[in-house]
Amino acid sequence: MTVEIKQSPEGVLTLTLQRADKKNAISLAMYRQLTGALQQAERDAAIKVVVLQGSASCFSSGNDLQDFLSAGDLNANHPTVVFLYQLNAFSKPIIAAVAGLAIGIGTTALLHCDLVYAAPGCRFQMPFSQLGLCPEAASSLLLPQLVGYQRAAQYLLLGEAFNTAQAEAMGLVNQQVASEDLLAFVADKALQLAKLPAAAVQQSKALLRGKIKRQAEKVITVELEVFGALLQGETCQQQLRGFLTKK
Ligand code: COA
């Protein structure tokens, strides 16, 4: 199993990426598991909050690059595509616990989370240009909205990495939490949220995110068209092969 899915009696659904040998790169099977879990959480009134986490030392190295190499058509049924729309549409709160690496979708998924806590010294990076790709997960909308255009260009065009202190300063991360305390801290926050009146929490999220969510859905579609074309291009394919064969 590569995503561990655990539901607590208090209504917290914890999704833990567990693919340590590949730095928690997200495979197609993992996207399917994540989407299935979010759909289940959407249907089940007993689930109040979702926690998304990796290990205490690694969140995620992003999309599995081997899968990118053989991605084929990014149509509406592709597991990554289905996950992106589901994540954007999700109506209950999501809390992320980030440690170590948050690369590619490891960072852009955080733009859809309601609360993000991170260990000191994380590496956040969206190296889409370096790979011959473009932004995804509506990051071309959500990141400039969060950090301003020029800062977003620094991270999305240059693909520069940033650390936890910078992520906190820009508002992507709520708070830094020592690595050894991170998962327990986030579990406690999730419990706090799960104990609040569920309708009030969900309606509040809908008010906070409703408008941007509708815009983000359209942007995801536009991004995917460009992303899909770039992915098939020789530049991107060369970068991917280079990464996968460099060892
Ligand atoms: N997809 C598939 N495999 C990945 C991966 C990814 N996104 N990230 C890491 N891995 C694999 C490596 O190929 C390696 O596998 P191996 O042991 O079978 O050779 C293993 O995970 C460990 O990675 P390694 O590169 O040796 O670790 P590192 O600590 O030196 O570097 C990263 C970690 C994340 C900086 C580096 O692996 C990397 O740049 N990965 C790609 C990140 C990326 O571009 N993500 C997609 C963005 S859109």
Side-chain angles (χ1 to χ4, degrees):
M1 197 161 75
T2 37
V3 181
E4 183 192 67
I5 301 169
K6 271 194 183 163
Q7 185 173 344
S8 79
E10 296 85 5
V12 178
L13 189 75
T14 303
L15 312 179
T16 308
L17 306 176
Q18 286 190 330
R19 199 182 175 209
D21 60 327
K22 297 289 180 189
K23 306 268 175 184
N24 284 337
I26 306 177
S27 65
L28 296 178
M30 290 164 78
Y31 281 117
R32 285 193 194 93
Q33 283 182 285
L34 291 168
T35 302
L38 291 180
Q39 287 169 343
Q40 168 64 15
E42 201 68 90
R43 284 191 299 267
D44 186 348
I47 298 175
K48 311 277 176 36
V49 180
V50 168
V51 169
L52 180 62
Q53 62 186 27
S55 68
S57 61
C58 181
F59 183 59
S60 176
S61 61
N63 201 98
D64 186 302
L65 293 181
Q66 180 65 53
D67 285 346
F68 263 168
L69 198 57
S70 48
D73 183 19
L74 293 182
N75 61 42
N77 298 319
H78 189 283
T80 311
V81 174
V82 179
F83 171 72
L84 292 178
Y85 285 111
Q86 178 62 55
L87 180 66
N88 181 55
F90 193 64
S91 67
K92 297 179 184 181
I94 307 182
I95 309 182
V98 182
L101 297 168
I103 315 280
I105 195 157
T107 291
T108 58
L110 302 176
L111 295 164
H112 296 269
C113 295
D114 303 284
L115 295 164
V116 179
Y117 299 96
C122 289
R123 173 176 162 189
F124 300 84
Q125 192 175 12
M126 294 162 282
F128 301 119
S129 299
Q130 283 100 322
L131 287 167
L133 289 168
C134 70
E136 37 72 315
S139 55
S140 62
L141 170 74
L142 300 175
L143 193 68
Q145 190 189 58
L146 181 68
V147 303
Y149 179 81
Q150 275 74 11
R151 187 69 55 83
Q154 182 182 345
Y155 299 130
L156 287 172
L157 301 188
L158 282 172
E160 284 184 8
F162 52 95
N163 62 25
T164 310
Q166 290 167 303
E168 189 181 18
M170 71 176 74
L172 179 64
V173 162
N174 291 80
Q175 190 181 327
Q176 293 194 54
V177 182
S179 317
E180 60 273 23
D181 300 328
L182 179 68
L183 300 187
F185 180 93
V186 165
D188 187 56
K189 284 284 174 203
L191 201 55
Q192 280 178 35
L193 209 43
K195 284 181 180 161
L196 292 170
V201 171
Q202 285 162 35
Q203 295 291 356
S204 299
K205 174 165 177 169
L207 289 166
L208 276 165
R209 282 197 81 93
K211 189 161 163 255
I212 195 74
K213 192 195 268 197
R214 288 188 289 278
Q215 288 173 1
E217 187 178 325
K218 292 190 183 120
V219 171
I220 290 173
T221 306
V222 175
E223 286 173 347
L224 278 170
E225 268 180 42
V226 183
F227 194 98
L230 288 168
L231 189 58
Q232 303 307 327
E234 190 44 33
T235 306
C236 177
Q237 295 286 311
Q238 258 178 22
Q239 296 296 327
L240 296 175
R241 281 194 298 270
F243 174 79
L244 292 165
T245 56
K246 74 175 185 283
K247 291 140 191 146

